[in-house]
Amino acid sequence: TGCAFPVALICPQKKRIESLAVELEIAGEFAALCEEPRIVERVAAACQGVCKEKKLMEFEIPKKFALIAELWTAENDMLTAAQKLKRPVIAAAHTTLIDKLYA
């Protein structure tokens, strides 16, 4: 996006988020859990840990994260038929969220 630092939009696995919610004693529907700050923080920490483990450069590691409850699929036009991300379409669909991450 040409911004000062990278951000990550993640479509998490529902079962893992629900398990994390149980561990953290948080109740709620999947979409609400994806917005829960403690869950986002735990997912962010895990992702950043993997990035560092894989020796990504500091400028390559996302600084802020958002969890997206809706899975990206070819049916909702977020992926190509070959299952590749349609980055401009995803960015356009989540403009408000991305702006919030950079605020």
Side-chain angles (χ1 to χ4, degrees), residues 21-37:
V22 169
E23 178 185 324
L24 296 173
E25 298 179 350
I26 302 169
E29 296 295 319
F30 179 62
L33 294 175
C34 286
E35 294 178 8
E36 167 60 45

Side-chain angles (χ1 to χ4, degrees), residues 22-99:
V22 169
E23 178 185 324
L24 296 173
E25 298 179 350
I26 302 169
E29 296 295 319
F30 179 62
L33 294 175
C34 286
E35 294 178 8
E36 167 60 45
R38 291 180 291 164
I39 289 178
V40 175
E41 287 170 18
R42 288 284 291 270
V43 172
C47 290
Q48 288 174 329
V50 170
C51 290
K52 289 177 183 174
E53 176 185 306
K54 298 297 180 183
K55 299 185 182 349
L56 268 65
M57 300 296 292
E58 191 64 32
F59 70 88
E60 297 174 303
I61 300 173
K63 303 294 181 232
K64 294 187 179 180
F65 295 79
L67 304 181
I68 309 296
E70 180 185 7
L71 196 59
W72 296 334
T73 65
E75 290 76 25
N76 65 13
D77 202 38
M78 300 292 177
L79 299 178
T80 67
Q83 301 299 298
K84 294 183 180 180
L85 295 172
K86 289 186 175 180
R87 293 177 194 277
V89 174
I90 292 168
H94 299 289
T95 301
T96 303
L97 181 56
I98 293 169
D99 289 344

